[in-house]
Amino acid sequence: PTPLMRLIDWIADYTLSPPGMVLRLGLRVPEALHSPKPSVMFERAMPGTERLTPVRQRVMAVLEDGLAHSARELTERAGASPAVIKAMADGGRINRIERIVEPAYAWPDLSTTRAELSPDQRRAAQTLIKEPSGFKVSLLQGVTGSGKTEVYFEAVADCLARGRQVLILLPEIALSVQFLARFENRFGVKPAQWHSDVPIAERRRVWRAAALGTAPVVVGARSALFLPLPDLGLIIVDEEHDSAFKQEDGVIYHARDMAVVRARLGDIPIILSSATPALETQVNVDRGRYQHVVLAARHGLAEMPAITAVDMRRERLSGQKFISGSLARALGETLERGEQSLLFLNRRGYAPLTLCRHCGHRMACPDCSAWLIEHRFEQRLVCHHCGHGRRQPDTCPNCERAHSFVACGPGVERLIEEASELLPDARIAILSSDQNTSPRDVRAVIDAFGRNEIDVLIGTQIVAKGHHFPNLTLVGVVDADLGLHGADPRAGERTFQLLNQVAGRAGRAEKPGRVLVQTFDPSNPVMRALVAGDSSAFYAAQKSERSFDAMPPFGRLAALILSGPDLDDVTASANALAKSAPTGPDVSVLGPAPAALARIRGMHRLRLLLKAPRGGNLSQIVREWIARAPPAAHVRLIIDVDPQSFL
Ligand code: ADP
Ligand code: ZN
């Protein structure tokens, strides 16, 4: 489709990627370019005169419709054996033909009864479908559990009723079981799915059906944006603030932003949905570029959970304990009532640092500037950046003292020990996205929690997303400060979004929920906004801060990351770039500086950051800059326009 071709060129230009690399994102299943092999089918022939046996009569009855049917269909529907069908074909009573059968997904049933929308929801849905065609961006904002999905389903139904295709982008598709069930419930059919977990044969089907216009709805991860949907009429980006929409290698692009471009090129509406929209999106609303549609309250009887901060400075826990007295009591009470709890800690493994208590030696990755993380279940130390793993040694590699290692800090695996001591009778499980947990394992745990077979679920951010567990009434955030430090200018915003989403899992049905947030910094604006259940002051402060510093979306950034095996080579290339840095009003270059992850997989990494005003052509400035000082042969240059990651 022309809009897709234009999008590919647009992204190549914007991200400074070779167009072929962008095109390849849309051609991930080359086999799909060929039509399927013809299949053998049967249709009725001219009527004969001889009498037919009952079974042959049944075969003829099926073929009465004048259509071609496969042998399998005929055997099933007529109760005839394959031999009968072969004999009928050989005898000329039916015709054997070869036909190419293209994949097709059933068109959703728009007449099924749907949830009765509340007046607020109805108003929101009507605003969304008021202008069903033409480019328009809407931000659908509503607290967790307000029914955003139900509301945008109305827009989906409206688009389908006009016979056009719909694309729904989700950040974490492996977790979309509940979403798919809801879709099927509403529309009576399964949508086509597109993500890296879909088996190749199925992906081929989806790609062809998308291209032929026989996939009415595609639900997918960011790469679904590159499906050649010929009659795309609506795009939905759910959880639009989620950083999983940013592709961080190969072609570095933000799928939410590119979806908006796709909508503009196709002249169609797009809906961005979130409880905590990205600041960029909010500013677009402020500027009047996006329509704002708001759902103010949770649906039905559900109330927003009560959120309390636990001041960890007062708790004086020993260095080896991470659950405060208040949280422990709340866990006990919740268990006693037969309700469920969620403990959130965004740290995989057992402990983030292992050190020798004798000499202080810290176990680090040989190839990255990162500590090794203990994974006790597997009895290994693992680097979360390169995957390097080793057995936990018996003696310290530095001082050779035996059994001298101590684990420092908490990880989800460690938390389960502490929780089990506190609640010996509870059924406790972990949900974390480790290399060796497949999406299927993840779904199994989510399903078990949904069936009330788990009392306490301990999880990383994988538990934060979109799930609805009616009996979950307590959420404990173990280390709320975790994401607040570091070089990321969005650290506060990100932490707020994540914790708000986690907190939003509590009390989503009739039973009221409560959230305990453990923090060493309760006066931090993020914690204050969470506890107050009011983000407006927080976002206002974030906006003025970023506006003052001319940070996005008030200014623009591009990161240049240079890496290579030899630090001197990398430094020389980085210095050369710095020397020929672009100049101009409000244009500045920061760095080169060692990246926060100064070494990954043995590659040394330096970063430069270009800041430029909002109006200019940032990509063009970068293009000319690099042409003036191209990096040396053994130095790799990665360009990240609108960076989200600052590692
Ligand atoms: P959000 O996406 O805003 O977090 P959801 O769309 O997931 O909210 O809705 C939260 C829960 O409330 C879901 O279980 C959903 O089925 C239910 N719900 C929302 N609106 C309605 C409605 N109008 N009628 C019945 N159930 C609803
Ligand atoms: Zn490593």
Side-chain angles (χ1 to χ4, degrees), residues 13 22 34 45 150 176 182-183 203 234 335 380 384 430 435 440 455 470 512 559 569:
D13 182 67
V22 186
H34 307 285
E150 302 296 332
S176 56
R182 281 177 72 177
F183 185 93
R203 269 205 264 177
L234 173 67
L335 182 67
R380 285 169 77 75
H384 283 184
I430 285 189
Q435 292 91 326
R440 180 185 305 216
D455 301 308
D569 285 353

Side-chain angles (χ1 to χ4, degrees), residues 335-603:
L335 182 67
E336 216 152 88
R337 280 199 300 270
E339 296 169 6
Q340 292 171 296
S341 305
L342 174 69
L343 285 180
F344 174 72
L345 176 64
N346 208 5
R347 253 189 185 143
R348 299 186 279 131
Y350 185 83
L353 173 65
T354 301
L355 60 76
C356 169
R357 80 163 72 77
H358 184 64
C359 73
H361 177 75
R362 298 165 170 213
M363 296 298 288
C365 176
D367 300 320
C368 305
S369 39
W371 308 127
L372 292 176
I373 316 292
E374 179 179 355
H375 285 243
R376 191 159 283 191
F377 298 161
E378 296 146 51
Q379 299 188 318
R380 285 169 77 75
L381 295 170
V382 179
C383 170
H384 283 184
H385 297 287
C386 71
H388 167 89
R390 57 170 299 175
R391 218 178 51 77
Q392 169 111 316
D394 296 326
T395 56
C396 171
N398 187 47
C399 70
E400 293 178 357
R401 188 67 67 102
H403 306 295
S404 65
F405 287 115
V406 277
C408 298
V412 280
E413 292 182 5
R414 188 170 198 176
L415 216 51
I416 201 170
E417 289 181 359
E418 196 177 337
S420 308
E421 275 169 36
L422 288 169
L423 308 169
D425 301 325
R427 297 161 301 172
I428 307 177
I430 285 189
L431 189 62
S432 142
S433 59
D434 270 312
Q435 292 91 326
N436 44 5
T437 41
S438 69
R440 180 185 305 216
D441 297 339
V442 169
R443 266 176 247 148
V445 176
I446 291 174
D447 287 346
F449 196 56
R451 286 193 306 265
N452 260 311
E453 292 166 12
I454 296 167
D455 301 308
V456 182
L457 186 61
I458 299 178
T460 58
Q461 63 173 359
I462 198 165
V463 301
K465 314 219 167 155
H467 307 295
H468 184 75
F469 303 112
N471 197 38
L472 169 59
T473 57
L474 173 68
V475 168
V477 178
V478 174
D479 185 353
D481 312 328
L482 194 55
L484 284 176
H485 311 291
D488 187 343
R490 294 186 184 86
E493 181 191 347
R494 287 262 165 73
T495 303
F496 177 74
Q497 287 162 338
L498 180 60
L499 296 186
N500 186 77
Q501 204 166 24
V502 178
R505 297 313 105 205
R508 288 169 67 90
E510 289 80 18
K511 296 174 194 158
R514 61 174 161 163
V515 180
L516 295 183
V517 178
Q518 299 192 146
T519 172
F520 284 90
D521 188 9
S523 60
N524 186 292
V526 171
M527 303 312 150
R528 294 227 299 258
L530 265 177
V531 170
D534 179 9
S535 57
S536 49
F538 169 71
Y539 274 119
Q542 289 277 314
K543 275 183 211 169
S544 65
E545 205 172 290
R546 281 208 223 156
S547 162
F548 184 78
D549 298 335
M551 291 295 271
F554 304 97
R556 298 201 52 206
L557 296 177
L560 272 58
I561 301 123
L562 293 135
S563 63
D566 186 277
L567 182 57
D568 290 339
D569 285 353
V570 181
T571 310
S573 288
N575 287 338
L577 273 168
K579 241 183 236 128
S580 51
T583 51
D586 300 322
V587 173
S588 59
V589 170
L590 308 172
L597 276 166
R599 208 159 61 99
I600 299 183
R601 295 172 204 272
M603 296 291 157

Side-chain angles (χ1 to χ4, degrees), residues 40-110:
V40 176
M41 313 273 283
F42 300 89
E43 57 183 20
R44 75 183 166 202
M46 294 301 284
T49 47
E50 82 274 21
R51 283 188 60 81
L52 293 174
T53 60
V55 61
R56 289 185 174 214
Q57 283 176 24
R58 289 201 300 272
V59 172
M60 295 311 284
V62 172
L63 294 176
E64 201 65 348
D65 60 11
L67 302 175
H69 293 270
S70 68
R72 193 160 123 228
E73 241 183 305
L74 291 178
T75 53
E76 271 168 20
R77 287 178 55 188
S81 68
V84 168
I85 290 157
K86 181 172 183 301
M88 288 175 78
D90 291 347
R93 288 310 311 264
I94 60 177
N95 289 335
R96 183 188 277 117
I97 56 167
E98 289 207 330
R99 176 158 303 173
I100 290 172
V101 184
E102 290 287 2
Y105 289 78
W107 201 268
D109 179 0
L110 302 176

